[in-house]
Amino acid sequence: QKVCFADFKHPCYKMAYFQDLSSRVGFQEARQACESDGGALLSLESETEQKLIESMLQNLTKPDTGISDGDFWIGLWRNGEGQTSGACPNLYKWSDGSSSQYRNWYTDEPSCGSEACVVMYHQPTANPGLGGPYLYQWNDDRCNMKHNFICKYEPESFPTIAAGKPFDESKPEDPYHIVVTETGIIPNLIYVVIPTIPLLLLILVAFGTCCFQMLHKSKGRTKTSPNQSTLWISKNNKKESIMEI
């Protein structure tokens, strides 16, 4: 689902996470997937935007979601020219044409060589390295490696379903206030109601069966009472007739 800012003036984002490792894709495949969806592979303009993406990934990878390790392609890459370590870091560019010079490399990265495409680390279960946990810093990797990816989109002109409080630029926390534009109350209710339908049907059948049995027993008692009273009367009549004789 696409996630947007509440003011609809900032970019939107989409996290493509594949729990099935075989479904993850290379850099060029990720780039094409974002572009065919109307966006571009993620470019990062500032530390503020980096922190925003980190907060999204933290929400995405909560313990109860079942989502674990898996790096994410971003749109930073370089061609095969300039392999020397001194020139290499300056050769990286954003695939969407952004001129942003913001970088968030992990310690001793980029390593360059045959590694020309960049991922954002997301390995919460890995032991920390020299640069700390392998979380959210950047690493260059071979472009044919298979990873998740993050797409970035132009701001939505209007929300599909607006959710959340209005955006207020005077409040410092509001730049991190995001809303989901492709889901809302009605879809959420559907996801809640549909799984309960079998349970509701089971309860209805049990209730109907119980009512039928109670009604059947009630009719049975009503029918036997007159027979019992008639039998009792007939026996008394026979005894009275014998005594008269």
Side-chain angles (χ1 to χ4, degrees):
Q1 59 190 21
K2 191 182 295 182
V3 180
C4 296
F5 276 90
D7 65 346
F8 310 109
K9 297 178 182 178
H10 292 77
C12 301
Y13 306 92
K14 185 182 288 186
M15 311 290 177
Y17 174 83
F18 303 94
Q19 195 162 11
D20 181 7
L21 300 183
S22 63
S23 298
R24 297 178 182 179
V25 298
F27 179 84
Q28 292 299 337
E29 293 172 286
R31 181 178 178 180
Q32 291 172 6
C34 291
E35 291 176 355
S36 65
D37 195 38
L41 209 52
L42 176 67
S43 61
L44 291 148
E45 303 295 324
S46 64
E47 184 178 1
T48 300
E49 190 172 22
Q50 168 75 26
K51 294 298 182 184
L52 175 63
I53 297 300
E54 291 179 15
S55 68
M56 291 181 183
L57 290 175
Q58 287 169 3
N59 290 330
L60 180 71
T61 56
K62 288 179 179 178
D64 57 349
T65 63
I67 297 175
S68 186
D69 292 2
D71 299 336
F72 288 80
W73 288 120
I74 61 176
L76 195 64
W77 72 293
R78 63 178 175 82
N79 57 29
E81 300 175 358
Q83 299 295 337
T84 61
S85 59
C88 174
N90 299 325
L91 295 175
Y92 283 90
K93 59 184 179 180
W94 296 105
S95 60
D96 65 353
S98 169
S99 59
S100 171
Q101 297 300 310
Y102 175 75
R103 301 291 186 265
N104 188 40
W105 295 112
Y106 191 80
T107 301
D108 296 332
E109 299 294 344
S111 54
C112 300
S114 61
E115 300 175 343
C117 298
V118 179
V119 295
M120 182 181 291
Y121 272 139
H122 185 266
Q123 301 178 23
T125 65
N127 293 325
L130 294 176
Y134 294 97
L135 282 172
Y136 316 127
Q137 299 96 335
W138 306 355
N139 170 54
D140 56 341
D141 201 355
R142 295 193 303 277
C143 297
N144 62 351
M145 295 297 290
K146 307 298 183 182
H147 295 297
N148 307 302
F149 58 94
I150 304 172
C151 298
K152 184 176 181 179
Y153 304 82
E154 292 296 324
E156 295 280 354
S157 57
F158 56 87
T160 304
I161 299 177
K165 62 184 181 181
F167 179 78
D168 185 355
E169 291 184 348
S170 65
K171 296 181 180 180
E173 69 275 9
D174 271 344
Y176 299 98
H177 178 65
I178 57 174
V179 295
V180 177
T181 61
E182 294 184 356
T183 60
I185 295 175
I186 294 177
N188 289 337
L189 286 177
I190 291 175
Y191 286 124
V192 172
V193 171
I194 289 178
T196 62
I197 290 177
L199 179 60
L200 292 175
L201 291 175
L202 181 61
I203 293 173
L204 184 61
V205 171
F207 180 75
T209 303
C210 182
C211 290
F212 176 78
Q213 291 178 348
M214 291 177 63
L215 182 63
H216 182 72
K217 289 181 180 179
S218 175
K219 288 182 178 180
R221 286 196 297 269
T222 304
K223 289 179 180 179
T224 55
S225 295
N227 293 338
Q228 290 176 352
S229 60
T230 305
L231 182 61
W232 178 77
I233 292 172
S234 64
K235 286 181 180 180
N236 285 345
N237 290 339
K238 288 181 181 180
K239 288 181 181 180
E240 289 177 359
S241 62
I242 293 172
M243 289 178 65
E244 290 175 356
I245 294 171

